[in-house]
Amino acid sequence: MFHFLAGFSAGAAATAAAPFTLPLALLLSAFLGLAWNRRFLLAGLALGCAWTGWHAEREMARWLPVEEQGREVRVVARVADLPTHLEQGARLTLVLEQAPEDLAPQRVQLYWHGRGEMPAAGERWELTLRLRRPSGSWNPGGFDGERWALTQRIHARASVAGGLEPRRLSPPRGIHAWRSSLSDAMAEAIPQPGARALAVALVVGDRQYLSDRQWHSLLATGTNHLVAISGLHVSLLAGAVWLLVGASWRCLPLLVRYYPAPLAGAWPALAAAIGYAMLAGFSLPTQRAVLMFGVLALALLTRRSLHSGHCLLAAVTLMLIHDPLAPASPTFWLSSLAVAALIVAALRWQHAPVSGWLRAQLALLVILAPVTAYWFGQIAWAAPLANAVAVPLVGALVVPVLLAGAVSLPVWPPLAAFFWQWGGWMLLSLDAFTAWLGSLVELHRTTEALPWWLALAAMAGATLLILPSRFPGRLLVLPLLAPLLLASDRGIPRGQAEVVLYDVGHGHAMQIRTRDHQLWLDAGPAGRSPGIPGQGASLSLAYSRDRAGHRGGFDMRSLAATPLCDLPSDWEWDGVRFRVLALAPSASGGCGLLVTAGEDPLLALQGLERLPPGGLDQLPPARVLVAPGHGHRDLATPDLLERIAASDVLVSTDADNRWGLPHPEVRSNVTEWGGRLWVTGCDGALSVRLGNGAEVTATERGRYWWRQARGQNCEP
């Protein structure tokens, strides 16, 4: 039986996550099953692949077709999750209850931009939507919007179209309305912003209050899983309820005669686990925890002995039956592998509780390092120390106190406020601890996301390392882990500069790094801005135009940025020369930046609003040009292109922008002058190493099956 479950889980996970098609996955399944001569394993592999492939095909069929981009429809929809508040509006998840029969999407992500009263969680609205197909930015180690849309069952993105005004049909109802009211009550009760953000995230999974500084500290210390309402919290809560109810039951001998105390505690514990998972919106880790706890409780209630590894396998199988596309999300792998590592650690070091707990944290670091390096291009070396302190504090003290406040709210709100403020006081200590530790130990970043085959090799080495010493093959640990340990960012030599033009849609975000300094010139619009560190003596922030598409990311993070025209006219960093060109300075922009490393000059003109009379004479030749006006023909004129004579012209804009940029004449002019045109919406983030040939490198997307085709404005 367990061979079948293992085969099903492996087949489903391989089909959902691997960058190959379903036929190849089925072929691989057949080969593995025949090689091990396990008929049940083979049957499970084939069924897992087929189950996931069928769900994937059905889900992709619900995505808005490319030819229906910009379609406007009148719908009746329900807000199906907590709103995410943005600087100008909010982001909502809608379930369409009434829509045209020929409309494929059923779940839509709506961007509400300050248009009257905003919908609340659980409300029903009638409104007109302008739909677009799910898409995402292509940035190194960045957020994958298409993958996220797939795992969240988002079939289209939308904005409110003109015409009839939106109309509320019913007040807030359901679990999400309750979560929203609880989030608001907690935010009002806890005065400290840092503690408030952590408390709301721990109870209802609402992470919108977390600042960039907090996120950076949590990532650097490997404690970011705590604010995702991890399965560990659910398990600890359920275990505590089980013990308390069992202990109370033993105090009543008459009841013990008829029903054993361990069985009596199982039902309330399972109810507590389900209730906490509901508060979190049934996220993937909480689903796994509830299923695993349910399997364990069922085995106990039926008087069956079940190994913890078999319990985890059964829970993962049930989760994949319910949601076969879960392996496309890193949350699935992080959650499942973390539990597997803890099970191995518990079996290996069960007779030494204190040292076993510390070794378990090291085991977690070892087993999760290949996963985080593959998905995010980073490793948090401080995680064992941070989690050894944070997990007991949060799981044993903070979460019970905060949940006591949630239970007390309907009965006595002042008591709920007391519990929440008590929990907030403890979270202030946690916030200070992670900030201090994160400042001491920097987040280890690899040069890029680890290739999947190296990640698998490192995972095999990590598994061998945490297994008992008598297990064969431990001599292979170091060779298997070596690529992971050596794949670090080796820095930039003196006299060179790395320039990255990020994919932020119809805006601009550019990072210029030298050996010891970095300059962020523009940060993109608020909703698509890349990650920007908010501190550091070697960090400078500037914007080329006073527009939301250029400085929105700075404003969203409350970062003070300087207009490009106000920077010094020229300076030098680590052998790299910078010069500001005052071409047509105005209140909103009009300056350019020339960056020269060795014999490789790059000219950034994204701040140019118009061509001044005689302004072309001020433009120097350059190897690389960041084009003005997103490739508009009135700014990227033939005379400008001829004057600069760049071999590579970079344009930052969406692949399917409504203006058709870059203009076809700009494309033909660049080609006519022997250059090459690069577009971030088509090629992803663009990297240039000045002082080392100035070769332009596009971000590799990866050929995953959920990727949509290149945009209509992209050349084949």
Side-chain angles (χ1 to χ4, degrees):
M1 179 62 180
F2 286 104
H3 287 107
F4 178 81
L5 296 182
F8 180 89
S9 299
T15 307
F20 42 67
T21 57
L22 179 61
L24 185 57
L26 286 171
L27 223 94
L28 178 64
S29 304
F31 171 77
L32 292 175
L34 292 173
W36 287 337
N37 195 25
R38 299 282 188 180
R39 288 176 296 174
F40 287 108
L41 178 67
L42 174 60
L45 281 164
L47 183 60
C49 291
W51 178 253
T52 303
W54 177 68
H55 275 269
E57 183 68 26
R58 187 181 67 168
E59 197 63 28
M60 294 301 294
R62 292 173 177 167
W63 280 31
L64 185 74
V66 176
E67 58 272 15
E68 293 187 15
Q69 294 269 37
R71 178 180 177 182
E72 295 188 4
V73 292
R74 188 74 176 176
V75 301
V76 173
R78 176 172 47 86
V79 182
D81 205 346
L82 297 181
T84 301
H85 296 279
L86 306 174
E87 182 184 7
Q88 298 177 345
R91 187 167 57 239
L92 311 166
T93 299
L94 303 181
V95 173
L96 305 187
E97 297 182 345
Q98 297 179 26
E101 293 184 0
D102 62 337
L103 186 67
Q106 298 178 3
R107 283 173 63 93
V108 173
Q109 186 181 61
L110 171 66
Y111 291 88
W112 184 278
H113 295 291
R115 190 186 177 107
E117 187 179 0
M118 188 183 70
E123 291 182 343
R124 292 177 70 248
W125 282 68
E126 182 182 10
L127 66 174
T128 304
L129 303 179
R130 181 180 295 111
L131 303 175
R132 295 189 65 82
R133 187 179 174 89
S135 61
S137 302
W138 313 350
N139 293 314
F143 176 70
D144 189 335
E146 291 167 286
R147 184 198 303 271
W148 180 86
L150 176 76
T151 58
Q152 299 297 316
R153 303 300 196 272
I154 299 296
H155 308 132
R157 288 193 167 96
S159 58
V160 180
L164 296 176
E165 285 295 314
R167 184 165 61 96
R168 179 188 288 108
L169 300 180
S170 65
R173 293 173 184 165
I175 180 65
H176 296 298
W178 177 47
R179 293 175 63 210
S180 179
S181 62
L182 192 58
S183 174
D184 294 341
M186 293 185 67
E188 184 178 350
I190 303 176
Q192 303 89 350
R196 177 197 309 141
L198 291 171
V200 172
L202 282 169
V203 174
V204 298
D206 187 2
R207 298 185 290 275
Q208 63 177 314
Y209 297 108
L210 291 169
S211 65
D212 282 350
R213 193 272 305 165
Q214 285 180 299
W215 268 120
H216 179 75
S217 299
L218 293 170
L219 287 172
T221 55
T223 52
N224 53 307
H225 66 93
L226 294 176
V227 296
I229 306 189
S230 67
L232 179 63
H233 298 158
V234 177
S235 303
L236 288 174
L237 175 67
V241 171
W242 198 330
L243 291 175
L244 288 174
V245 173
S248 303
W249 197 267
R250 289 186 183 92
C251 296
L252 302 171
L254 183 63
L255 295 177
V256 176
R257 277 185 210 168
Y258 293 98
Y259 205 67
L263 301 186
W267 297 109
L270 185 59
I274 295 174
Y276 193 17
M278 288 174 61
L279 277 177
F282 279 110
S283 60
L284 269 177
T286 59
Q287 288 180 29
R288 191 266 311 148
V290 169
L291 289 173
M292 187 172 178
F293 197 83
V295 170
L296 184 63
L298 182 63
L300 181 65
L301 292 170
T302 55
R303 311 299 206 278
R304 296 178 65 90
S305 177
L306 191 62
H307 189 275
S308 53
H310 292 163
C311 183
L312 174 61
L313 177 60
V316 169
T317 304
L318 289 173
M319 185 164 60
L320 290 174
I321 292 174
H322 169 67
D323 184 9
L325 301 183
S329 167
T331 306
F332 170 84
W333 299 99
L334 293 171
S335 174
S336 302
L337 291 173
V339 174
L342 289 175
I343 289 174
V344 172
L347 293 175
R348 187 176 176 184
W349 300 299
Q350 57 183 325
H351 301 297
V354 177
S355 62
W357 171 251
L358 297 176
R359 289 175 178 179
Q361 301 309 315
L362 290 173
L364 280 176
L365 171 66
V366 169
I367 206 71
L368 296 182
V371 184
T372 56
Y374 171 72
W375 288 98
F376 311 114
Q378 60 191 31
I379 303 171
W381 295 118
L385 176 59
N387 282 294
V389 175
V391 169
L393 173 65
V394 172
L397 296 176
V398 176
V399 168
V401 169
L402 294 178
L403 291 180
V407 174
S408 306
L409 181 64
V411 181
W412 193 11
L415 180 61
F418 166 75
F419 279 124
W420 288 335
Q421 290 171 10
W422 182 15
W425 177 80
M426 289 187 285
L427 287 174
L428 281 178
S429 303
L430 176 65
D431 193 26
F433 171 70
T434 55
W436 170 76
L437 188 59
S439 65
L440 294 180
V441 183
E442 279 297 320
L443 189 66
H444 174 85
R445 298 187 184 276
T446 59
T447 51
E448 56 184 10
L450 206 65
W452 65 269
W453 54 275
L454 280 181
L456 285 178
M459 180 61 66
T463 304
L464 289 173
L465 185 61
I466 68 171
L467 287 174
S469 55
R470 64 179 181 273
F471 201 86
R474 290 177 67 85
L475 293 177
L476 298 174
V477 169
L478 188 58
L480 290 173
L481 288 177
L484 178 66
L485 300 174
L486 297 176
S488 60
D489 191 343
R490 297 177 179 83
I492 302 171
R494 179 177 175 80
Q496 295 185 19
E498 183 182 62
V499 181
V500 180
L501 184 65
Y502 287 93
D503 176 21
V504 294
H506 198 69
H508 270 279
M510 189 167 72
Q511 181 189 26
I512 306 170
R513 294 174 58 214
T514 64
R515 189 183 67 177
D516 299 321
H517 299 80
Q518 63 173 313
L519 168 67
W520 279 88
L521 181 59
D522 301 325
R528 299 185 65 174
S529 176
I532 302 172
Q535 56 187 357
S538 62
L539 176 68
S540 299
L541 308 175
Y543 56 88
S544 59
R545 291 188 68 184
D546 192 8
R547 296 287 186 271
H550 292 246
R551 60 173 297 173
F554 295 139
D555 296 338
M556 178 184 68
R557 297 175 174 88
S558 301
L559 297 176
T562 305
L564 176 60
C565 294
D566 291 348
L567 292 181
S569 58
D570 59 81
W571 72 94
E572 183 174 316
W573 280 345
D574 307 317
V576 179
R577 300 181 301 278
F578 294 78
R579 182 155 65 96
V580 176
L581 306 176
L583 302 172
S586 65
S588 60
C591 292
L593 179 66
L594 178 67
V595 184
T596 306
E599 302 298 324
D600 299 331
L602 177 143
L603 183 59
L605 295 180
Q606 63 262 37
L608 199 61
E609 296 180 310
R610 57 184 176 82
L611 288 177
L616 293 179
D617 297 336
Q618 304 179 46
L619 297 177
R623 290 280 298 274
V624 181
L625 168 67
V626 181
H630 309 282
H632 197 285
R633 63 178 176 178
D634 292 343
L635 289 173
T637 62
D639 292 339
L640 181 141
L641 297 173
E642 181 181 6
R643 170 72 181 178
I644 298 172
S647 56
D648 293 284
V649 178
L650 316 184
V651 176
S652 178
T653 191
D654 273 325
D656 291 317
N657 64 85
R658 57 182 175 176
W659 303 280
L661 298 175
H663 196 276
E665 291 183 11
V666 175
R667 292 182 181 274
S668 61
N669 290 335
V670 172
T671 305
E672 181 181 342
W673 289 107
R676 178 173 178 180
L677 188 73
W678 303 79
V679 182
T680 55
C682 301
D683 303 301
L686 303 169
S687 302
V688 187
R689 180 60 71 91
L690 302 179
N692 190 25
E695 181 181 356
V696 178
T697 305
T699 300
E700 176 63 38
R701 283 185 90 199
R703 298 182 178 275
Y704 295 99
W705 51 268
W706 58 81
R707 300 289 196 213
Q708 69 171 355
R710 289 161 65 90
Q712 300 173 1
N713 296 330
C714 299
E715 292 183 341

